Structures are given as structure tokens and as C-alpha cells.
Amino acid sequence: MPTVPEIIRSRRRRLLGGRPTTRLSRAAAVALVLATLVVGLAAAAGGWVFGGVTQGLPSVEAIANRFGPAEAPGFQPTRIFDRTGRYLIFEASNPAAAERRWLHVDPPAGSRQPPPVLLATIAIQDPGFWTNPGYELHDVITALLGGKPAGTITQQLVETALLPLDDHRLADGIRFLRTAVLAADLTRRFSKAQILEWYVNSAPYGKLAYGLDAAGLTYFGKHAGDLSLAESAMLAPLPRDPDRNPADAPQAARTARASALQAMVRQGWIDAAAAKAAGAESVTLRPIQTPTSDFGWAVWGRLEQMWGQAAGARSGLKVLSTQDHDLQLQAECVALTQAGRLAGGDPGAIEPASDGTACVAGSLLPPMRPGDTGVDHKMTDTAVVVLDPTAGEVLSLVGPAQDLRPTGPAFQPFLYLTAFARGYTAGTMVLDLPLETTPGVPGTVAVGHGPVRMRTALANSYTAAAQRTLALAGVEDVVRTAHQMGVSGMDDPTADYQPALETGESAASLLDVTGAYGVLANDGRMVGVAPDAAATQASQGLEPVFILSVQDYDGHALPLGQIQERAVVSPQLAFILEDVLSDDTARWPAYGPSSVLEIGQPAGAVAGSPPDGHDNWAIGFTRRRVVGAWVGNRTTTPLNAITALNGAAPIWHAVLQYASRELPSEGWAAPAGVSTLQVCDPSGLLPTSYCPEVMREVFVQGTEPTHYDTLYQPFRVNKETGKLATLFTPVDLVQEKVYLVPPPEAAVWARQAGIPQPPTEYDTIVDKPAPNPDVSLTRPAMFAYVHGVVSLQGSARPKGMQYYRLQFGAGLNPTRWTQIGTDVRQAVVSNELGKWDTQGLSGLYTLQLVAVLDQGQVMTDATPMTIDNSSPSITLVLPSDGQAFTLQDQVVIQADVSDDLALDRVEFYVDFRQVAAVGGPPYSARWQPVTPGEYTILARAYDLAGNMAESQKLTITIGK
């Protein structure tokens, strides 16, 4: 293989025809190209000037300091510390590269043969490296025309080591031109060998391997000088695209290796036979190692989001994170302890912290239930997040907290928050019954808790109630609410998220959901940093804060995004969610008193599992801290016997108690615009004397209930027969009983739940006294069917009568009466007493005549009757319109008929002449035609009240 000097001389001869080159002519050439660059730039953009491209560029002399003194150069990886700066929590260096060496490149006067990895790097990345002025003119032209050239090795070094990190926000063309300017300056001031040496010792090779020697150790367990040609060619292309490394993308890496080998052949540095042999060689990767700090990886992700991959390749960055190191250690050991217990381990064992100190928070884990002891719950992963909601800072992060997982009940607060924003309240009644439950259908199982307040439904994570609340709130609005609070995961505008939301399978990360709960804890205010505009960010909210400060190699602070505060939920709605989620008593139906969700101070909490069986969540907050915990199984095996209280909830309980141990215990004060009211449970309406449970409820002012409870209703019952009493039931047998009368949709549930329902039958009327001829109702007859305006006939002529009145009430034993017309003072004998307009009424009513005598005495008579103001429904189903028959056929005429109360008859007509009348089902008739021709068929239905409905008209043809 050629030596470095031979490579340089060869490239120079090809470029300059063998003529000697002086420093002055090199500088002149660079100046000429830069002038061309500026002229072309001005022509293409019309407003750019050289000063704009070069504004803020650093001096290239600074690069020497970034890699240390010449006698002891080195690359210092980015280091991430806790918030105090005392504890190093992450170093951006692959653990396998701990013994990395600085790879020296011989100066031009040297004669040592370069390792194949250097030749492969130059061949595939920058064949003109030794002779170009730091950039290639054709690349400049491509950039000016809107293309995206990769640039030279010198430009790549400039981008990772010199260019301001904020330059990643600039347009690609401007950033490329800025690298070209610095690369030209760097080439004038330093030797090519020095530039190449800096580059190959700092370039990113993926898997936190920075520099060729680190890459060789990371992927192959070899120093750069010991790499084979095949291994060298596989590593050489990686700085252009580190994600296509042999560990993550083996096929892409083999393809890139072939390209690098062919590039070396084109340069004449290897022959075709060597390239073929190297291309066919099987390389052996060593097991890839990675740093184990979950928090460190999260910070690292934010650095790359802010500054791209240049952040990792920048030597000497020092990052001060938001991590509370002690809290991180305690959260880790609590999660590890609970994982061991759920794996069937010693229920009393407590794992120490990773630094060997005691796991104090582990002692706060609730004791395991006897049935959980020694049971393998098939759990493989845990995650914990601790936030300070007032500062937006992440204090601790353990495990895969940024993975998208089905949320189950953890997502329900966003459903209810959206519903509350639309005017529903924590007191609104919702049915905890599946939407598909069909009332009255035999065999239907109504699983659920029936009518409940939304407070109760949310506090207990009732699934069916959440489905019905979703229908009230609207899927699009719920998704919008979640996004505004910082929850991503449902970001495809073309997707239908309703099924996932209904089943609890909507996916989000623990970090996002915990941050959203922090908005509730902080009275509706979100605190954090705005996402980088250049980064893909589905969430519309601020991001939690992971980084307090970043210093470069010489201690200068780098600019970070400003901490912002946004009001994303009104204080009134936030308070209602705080009040509901921290209502320990409201949780008792599902979790019982003194459950693991109670920590001895006001704390909102939600716990439970989605139906997939692989995840279990517990998230909640005090005023100063928010903790999210998750346990799960990312294999195909579902969790075993994990409930809302024995999986993630104990971790949440212990970590939140520990995180709050030195903070004041305080709740949430109701803001202006919130009122408190006593309501009847479960209707949420104003209580009556019949309501057995009156509860306190909070409302946004203006949404308080204005109607009285209708669920608990009194009924008068014959205590001997158990039937509804009538006006004719002896008074000593009548007793008043109160029943819970649910909505019709909950009738099946009430029956299956064994909730007593009021009787539906009335006492048989056998003892009605003989009518008094002086005070009597004669028409309509008892139990007659009436409609419209009814003439009321009878007599009202008792001795001493002051006046009489007519009134009606619902049912056979009304508790409330409505007067018909006005009081009448003239006596009536067997004539019309008055007229009753029954429009708008339907069902069984009792009509009463009341005659008021001297001294306040009264005489009455009453008659029950059924009011039916709705016409029947009738549709002809046979024959078909236009159907043809012969004289030998009998034409079957059939109708589909229904009525809300009682049908009387159906009449069938041919050419408007009645041919049959039917008094009961099936409603059909046969007609024998006599003469050929065209006939019109129709039918009319009459109910017992005299209402009539007519079917559509059909035409048939009778032939011979």
C-alpha cells in the first residue's frame, strides 16, 4: 500500500501536472474559489452577502485547544452530571472503547505506511482530501443550486468540532457554505495530516463510538491499526451515516463496505483481487455494549434533539442535568425491589441502591398480600418518572419511560377533562354499562355499576363509564386535549383512534403522561422548554426539562431553550380534576379504604391496566411532585395476576412518599369561579327528601344543577298485594315506598343487580263505590282510550256546592294533579262538564271530578283512562309495487303494523274499497280479483283511541 507522502505527491501531480505549489498560490486559489462562492451565492439568493454567511463563525485556531496539547492529544467525550455536578451519570463513550488510543497520522515527511482504515476513509469520503482547499467546487455549486452535498472530510470536522451548535437550525445551503468557509481557513492554517488526525479521532461511528480506534474496539474488539481491510472498509463510511453501522444495519453496512473497497480500487490503493477477497470476508462483531443510565440516555436524546449528532462529536462538553441523584438511586432500588418481589422472591427483601447505600425508600413499599407472595407475576420491565411540576424538571427517570405503551385507565383523566370543558361536571351522572348492552334483550349481561357520578367513575377507573364519557366528549377533542397537555402517540391525522380510546389501548409514554398529570398538579400550568423547531415533535406542549446547563471545552456556557410557562387548562377545571383524583373516599368502591393509593397527604392517583394484559400503570401527584410508575411485559406472555394495587402502585406509593418526605403536606385551594354544592348521589342533581345519599360536589360556576333528583321516586303500594295502589285501594293498606328508578338503558343492570324496582301492576279495581248521581263522571268510560280534545260528561250538583273542578294525574294513584280549565260554579246535570285537550300526553291517567261544598267539604269521582295521541305505523310489505297477477291468483295483502299502546284494527282497500278488516296479527288478507286491469292497494291502521294511519299506495296489474 502507498505511504502518506506518496498519496500526497500522487494527488498533487494529477491535479497540478507536476508543477510545484507554494503557500501563496494555495492561498490565492482558496481566495479565488471563495470569491466565486460569494458571487454565485449572491446570484442565487439575491440578498446574501459574505458577511451573512460568516457571521458568528469561530476562529479555527480554537480547534487545537479542543483536542488537547500536541504532545498529548485526546478526545474528551460529552459528560453528563447530576444537578449538583458532583456525580457523573453518563459519559458519551461506548464502554468497550475504554482503552481507546489516539490514532496518529504521519506528517508528509514521514514514510510509515498508513493503516487500511485511513485509506478506506479517504477513498470513500473525500478522494480529493490531500489536494482540495478544504471543499470541492462542485459541492459548492450543488449547494447553491439547492442540493445537499456531503462535503469534504475537512468540512465534516468543522461541523462536529468548530461550527456553532445552533447552526443545525440554519438552512442546509447556508450551513454548508459556512463549513466551506471554515474548512478553507482550517486548510490554510493546519496541515492535512493534522486535520485528518483530528477527524478520525472524533468522527461519530455510531453506538457512542467517537473516533476510529473507539469504533474498532466497539465493533470488533481491535485497535484501529489492527483492523483488517474488510473491517476497515466497513467502518470507513460510517461518519456519513452512523445509523448504518454493522450492529444496527448489517446489510447496509456490507453494501457500504463494498462501495469503500471499490473506491480504494479506483484510487489505485488496492487491486481488484484484494477488494473481492475483503468483500467476501466474514467479519465477527463483538457484543455491543452501551451505558446503562436511563436518565443519561434521556439527556443524551435531548442534546441530539437540540444540536444533532454534532453534539456527541464535540469534544469536552459538560452537561449539568436536572437529576436528583439521591432520588434517582432510591427510585431505581424501589423498582428493583418490587420487580424481585413480583418475580416470586423474598417478600421482605430490599435491594440496596446501586452505590451500595441503603434503599430507604424500599422500606416504604406496602407489604405484599399473602396471595402474591412467592408468585411469579411474569413481569420483565419497570419504569419510574419523578417530576417537579412547578419547575417542569425531571428529577428521576428509570427504565423504558419513553416507550409508547397502551395506557388503559391512565388516559381516562383526559377524557373527563375534555367532557368537563364541554359543560359536563364531576356530578354528571353517567352509566357504567357497556355501550352494546341492549335493554330488555333476553340473555344480555349488563356488567358494570349502573348510574354513577363522573367523580365516582373517574376515581375508580370504571371502563364502561369512560367509554360513554368518550362519546360525550368526542374523540377529536380528547386527542386534542392530550396533545395540548404534552401527550404524543396519537399523531396520525388519518387514523381512527376511537377503538383504541374505547378499549384503553391508546398508546403513550410514561414520561409524557406523567408530565401531563404535572399540568393538573400545577393548577393547569405547563412548565418546560419549547421543542426544537427542527425536531420532529408531535406534541403541542412544552417538553420536560432535563438540562440545567451545558459548558463547552473551555467552560463557556452554551445557550439553551428558555424555560416557559403556559396555561393549558383553566384553574377551575384543573382544580376539579385535582379534587376528584385526590378523593380517597370516592376510590373506596374499587380499591377500599387505606389502599396503596393513599399516602397520608392529599395526592391524586390513577392505577390500572389496559386489556392487553402486558402493562400496569400508577400515576399520581402531590402539589410539588408527580410520580409515574409502570410495570410490564414486553414479551408475548401477559402479566400474571397483576391488579391495580399490586403492580406499579406500590412503586408509586413508595417513591412519591420518599420524594415528598421533606416537602410540606398541602392540598389545592379552590380558585375563584368554583362553587361547592350538595347533590344527590348518583344523579348529581339537587337532593330531595327521598335521596338516601347526599354528597358534596364541586362545580365550575354556571354548571351547577338546577333540577331535583328523579332517580329516587316514591310509589304508593298496597302492602298486602305488593301492587300499585289506586284511588280505590283502602287507605289503611296504602304505604309509600321509595325506589331507585334507573334510566331505561340500565333496566337490565338493575334487574341483574337485584335492585328492587317499583311494581308495574295496579290493584285490581273491584270495590269502586257506586257512583253518586250528584257527583259523577259518566264519559269517557272507565279505562277508555281517548285522544285529542275529549268531552267530559257527567253531573256536578250536590247540595251546597260552591264550585267544581276537573283535574288529572298520571297513573292510577296520582301523587300530583293538574287542573283542567278553571273552577265552574254552575251545577251540571248529565251534560258536558268540560273539555280536556290531551295533546302531548300519552299513557295511563286518572281523571277526577272534585266538587267543593260549604264548610270546605269535598265530594269526588274518578275515572282512569288511557291517552294515545300517536298514530300507528303501517307499511305494506305485500304485494310488491308493480307486481303482476292473473285472475286465477289470490292476491295476499300484508302489512307491518305497530303502535305505542294498543291497536284496534287494520283495514285493507283495493281501489279505495274496503275488502277486509283484521283485528289482530298477522295483519294480512287475501283478495280474489274478478276482472283484469290495474288496481291500487292501501291499508289503514286504527288504534283504540281512534288514531288512524295510512300506508303507502301500491299498484298491481291483473291479467287474464
Side-chain angles (χ1 to χ4, degrees):
M1 289 186 182
T3 63
V4 173
E6 289 171 346
I7 294 172
I8 296 174
R9 287 194 294 272
S10 172
R11 297 298 292 165
R12 285 177 175 172
R13 280 196 299 273
R14 264 186 274 176
L15 184 66
L16 303 175
R19 291 175 295 169
T21 303
T22 66
R23 181 177 299 274
L24 181 60
S25 62
R26 171 70 60 78
V30 170
L32 177 62
V33 174
L34 286 177
T36 303
L37 181 155
V38 174
V39 172
L41 184 62
W48 292 355
V49 294
F50 186 76
V53 173
T54 59
Q55 184 176 9
L57 290 180
S59 168
V60 296
E61 300 290 352
I63 193 171
N65 297 332
R66 300 194 177 183
F67 297 107
E71 63 275 10
F75 176 83
Q76 185 179 31
T78 297
R79 293 177 299 159
I80 300 172
F81 295 84
D82 77 320
R83 65 188 306 113
T84 68
R86 295 172 54 195
Y87 300 100
L88 176 66
I89 64 175
F90 186 90
E91 186 172 85
S93 177
N94 194 287
E99 301 300 323
R100 60 173 290 167
R101 302 171 184 169
W102 186 264
L103 180 62
H104 292 278
V105 176
D106 288 339
S111 59
R112 184 175 66 83
Q113 179 173 301
V117 69
L118 288 182
L119 299 178
T121 297
I122 296 172
I124 190 63
Q125 293 194 46
D126 187 6
F129 169 75
W130 292 110
T131 54
N132 65 44
Y135 59 89
E136 296 287 356
L137 185 57
H138 60 81
D139 284 346
V140 173
I141 295 172
T142 299
L144 290 173
L145 295 177
K148 295 182 179 181
T152 64
I153 283 177
T154 309
Q155 285 178 275
Q156 289 183 74
L157 175 63
V158 163
E159 182 146 13
T160 58
L162 274 178
L163 204 65
L165 289 173
D166 282 342
D167 270 22
H168 83 288
R169 296 184 174 89
L170 299 177
D172 292 337
I174 295 179
R175 190 170 67 252
F176 180 86
L177 295 174
R178 285 165 67 83
T179 64
V181 170
L182 284 178
D185 198 16
L186 197 66
T187 302
R188 289 197 304 272
R189 296 175 183 271
F190 297 97
S191 69
K192 285 287 188 176
Q194 180 64 80
I195 291 171
L196 181 62
E197 184 171 308
W198 283 331
Y199 174 72
V200 298
N201 283 286
S202 63
Y205 287 83
K207 296 299 183 185
L208 296 184
Y210 293 95
L212 269 172
D213 202 64
L217 293 170
T218 297
Y219 295 110
F220 304 115
K222 298 180 180 180
H223 289 288
D226 300 326
L227 295 172
S228 68
L229 178 58
E231 294 164 339
S232 299
M234 188 167 280
L235 294 183
L238 289 186
R240 301 283 190 179
D241 191 356
D243 291 335
R244 296 165 69 88
N245 62 74
D248 293 331
Q251 182 56 50
R254 286 191 290 270
T255 301
R257 177 179 66 177
S259 298
L261 292 170
Q262 290 304 313
M264 294 179 74
V265 172
R266 287 194 297 273
Q267 296 300 313
W269 295 342
I270 61 173
D271 56 30
K276 182 178 180 180
E281 182 180 325
S282 176
V283 298
T284 301
L285 294 180
R286 70 176 301 176
I288 301 298
Q289 302 179 42
T290 57
T292 57
S293 171
D294 300 313
F295 197 102
W297 277 112
V299 176
W300 181 251
R302 296 312 187 273
L303 290 173
E304 289 198 327
Q305 181 178 297
M306 287 190 299
W307 296 316
Q309 292 184 335
R314 186 64 53 96
S315 178
L317 292 186
K318 179 182 178 181
V319 181
L320 210 63
S321 75
T322 58
Q323 185 193 92
D324 180 322
H325 190 60
D326 174 65
L327 185 57
Q328 176 74 17
L329 293 175
Q330 295 297 309
E332 289 173 351
C333 66
V334 165
L336 190 62
T337 297
Q338 178 68 355
R341 294 180 179 183
L342 292 178
D346 184 351
I350 298 178
E351 297 291 333
S354 60
D355 65 349
T357 59
C359 185
V360 178
S363 63
L364 301 175
L365 282 167
M368 294 191 75
R369 301 178 305 183
D372 290 327
T373 302
V375 176
D376 183 0
H377 291 77
K378 308 297 182 184
M379 187 206 73
T380 60
D381 296 280
T382 58
V384 183
V385 172
V386 183
L387 291 172
D388 177 351
T390 61
E393 295 177 359
V394 181
L395 304 179
S396 174
L397 185 146
V398 179
Q402 300 184 83
D403 290 359
L404 296 181
R405 302 296 302 176
T407 51
F411 200 86
Q412 289 186 12
F414 311 127
L415 308 183
Y416 288 92
L417 177 61
T418 308
F420 295 164
R422 298 188 67 173
Y424 297 97
T425 72
T428 298
M429 187 184 75
V430 62
L431 295 180
D432 183 47
L433 296 172
L435 288 169
E436 63 272 14
T437 298
T438 305
V441 175
T444 299
V445 177
V447 179
H449 301 86
V452 294
R453 285 181 295 149
M454 285 189 173
R455 169 183 292 272
T456 305
L458 174 56
N460 294 278
S461 301
Y462 289 159
T463 300
Q467 293 174 346
R468 292 177 180 266
T469 302
L470 173 65
L472 297 174
V475 172
E476 291 184 0
D477 286 346
V478 169
V479 172
R480 188 178 301 111
T481 296
H483 280 181
Q484 289 172 345
M485 297 181 71
V487 179
S488 59
M490 295 180 293
D491 312 313
D492 183 355
T494 65
D496 179 11
Y497 292 109
Q498 182 166 342
L501 287 171
E502 287 181 347
T503 60
E505 298 287 349
S506 54
S509 72
L510 180 65
L511 178 61
D512 277 1
V513 179
T514 305
Y517 277 55
V519 173
L520 301 177
N522 196 34
D523 300 327
R525 297 188 301 274
M526 175 183 287
V527 182
V529 292
D532 190 282
T536 301
Q537 187 61 226
S539 166
Q540 299 177 7
L542 301 173
E543 290 189 338
V545 182
F546 276 93
I547 300 172
L548 296 177
S549 67
V550 179
Q551 294 180 352
D552 65 10
Y553 69 99
D554 57 4
H556 293 150
L558 299 181
L560 300 174
Q562 292 295 315
I563 305 298
Q564 301 181 23
E565 182 174 308
R566 296 179 187 172
V568 296
V569 178
S570 73
Q572 294 79 18
L573 290 180
F575 173 76
I576 290 175
L577 265 293
E578 294 161 353
D579 189 73
V580 172
L581 295 177
S582 63
D583 189 343
D584 291 334
T585 305
R587 283 196 290 265
W588 286 0
Y591 307 118
S594 303
S595 76
V596 68
L597 298 182
E598 299 180 24
I599 64 168
Q601 62 174 299
V606 174
S609 300
D612 74 337
H614 292 76
D615 303 86
N616 183 257
W617 299 65
I619 306 181
F621 51 86
T622 62
R623 189 157 187 80
R624 304 282 182 172
R625 293 292 181 264
V626 189
V627 173
W630 171 88
V631 300
N633 191 338
R634 293 188 286 180
T635 68
T636 57
T637 303
L639 296 171
N640 175 38
I642 291 291
T643 70
L645 299 180
N646 68 347
I651 298 176
W652 172 86
H653 177 97
V655 173
L656 184 54
Q657 276 199 325
Y658 186 83
S660 307
R661 69 196 186 283
E662 296 178 354
L663 299 174
S665 174
E666 52 184 329
W668 296 270
V674 170
S675 62
T676 302
L677 203 65
Q678 298 293 317
V679 300
C680 184
D681 186 57
S683 71
L685 300 176
L686 297 175
T688 67
S689 59
Y690 304 112
C691 179
E693 289 191 78
V694 177
M695 311 293 290
R696 160 196 168 275
E697 191 54 270
V698 293
F699 299 90
V700 175
Q701 287 181 359
T703 66
E704 300 92 340
T706 57
H707 295 84
Y708 285 91
D709 175 70
T710 57
L711 288 186
Y712 290 100
Q713 300 179 19
F715 291 83
R716 292 180 180 178
V717 179
N718 185 323
K719 59 185 177 182
E720 287 188 351
T721 65
K723 295 180 179 181
L724 292 171
T726 71
L727 288 175
F728 315 110
T729 303
V731 175
D732 60 334
L733 296 180
V734 177
Q735 67 175 165
E736 186 176 77
K737 297 183 68 175
V738 177
Y739 293 89
L740 170 63
V741 182
E745 309 96 291
V748 175
W749 164 81
R751 183 173 66 252
Q752 294 177 350
I755 295 177
Q757 292 297 290
T760 57
E761 297 183 17
Y762 285 91
D763 262 355
T764 304
I765 301 174
V766 294
D767 297 327
K768 180 177 180 180
N772 185 329
D774 292 333
V775 180
S776 63
L777 288 166
T778 57
R779 293 183 58 189
M782 186 177 291
F783 291 110
Y785 280 78
V786 299
H787 76 285
V789 178
V790 182
S791 176
L792 307 178
Q793 304 285 324
S795 297
R797 59 172 184 177
K799 184 179 179 180
M801 184 184 77
Q802 295 294 309
Y803 61 86
Y804 75 84
R805 70 175 49 160
L806 296 164
Q807 59 189 22
F808 69 93
L812 281 175
N813 190 17
T815 57
R816 296 180 183 177
W817 297 92
T818 302
Q819 185 169 343
I820 302 170
T822 60
D823 295 340
V824 180
R825 297 187 178 276
Q826 294 80 22
V828 176
V829 180
S830 300
N831 209 330
E832 185 175 80
L833 296 166
K835 292 186 181 295
W836 181 17
D837 186 354
T838 65
Q839 291 296 329
L841 302 178
S842 179
L844 182 63
Y845 287 83
T846 296
L847 174 67
Q848 188 179 56
L849 169 63
V850 180
V852 180
L853 311 181
D854 294 335
Q855 307 302 320
Q857 295 177 322
V858 297
M859 298 178 66
T860 64
D861 191 24
T863 297
M865 63 192 66
T866 299
I867 300 175
D868 184 357
N869 284 304
S870 299
S871 297
S873 172
I874 181 169
T875 304
L876 283 175
V877 294
L878 290 176
S880 300
D881 191 25
Q883 190 172 355
F885 298 89
T886 68
L887 291 174
Q888 288 73 36
D889 296 328
Q890 275 195 334
V891 179
V892 177
I893 308 173
Q894 183 174 333
D896 183 7
V897 188
S898 64
D899 187 72
D900 59 341
L901 291 175
L903 280 168
D904 180 26
R905 68 190 185 279
V906 175
E907 298 173 352
F908 297 99
Y909 294 81
V910 177
D911 276 356
F912 304 99
R913 180 177 60 87
Q914 183 177 332
V915 296
V918 179
Y923 297 104
S924 64
R926 293 179 180 272
W927 171 65
Q928 182 66 56
V930 178
T931 59
E934 189 174 81
Y935 294 86
T936 299
I937 309 293
L938 65 88
R940 291 172 181 155
Y942 296 84
D943 61 23
L944 289 176
N947 300 297
M948 186 273 288
E950 187 172 279
S951 73
Q952 80 276 27
K953 297 179 178 64
L954 303 178
T955 301
I956 64 171
T957 302
I958 306 297
K960 294 181 178 181

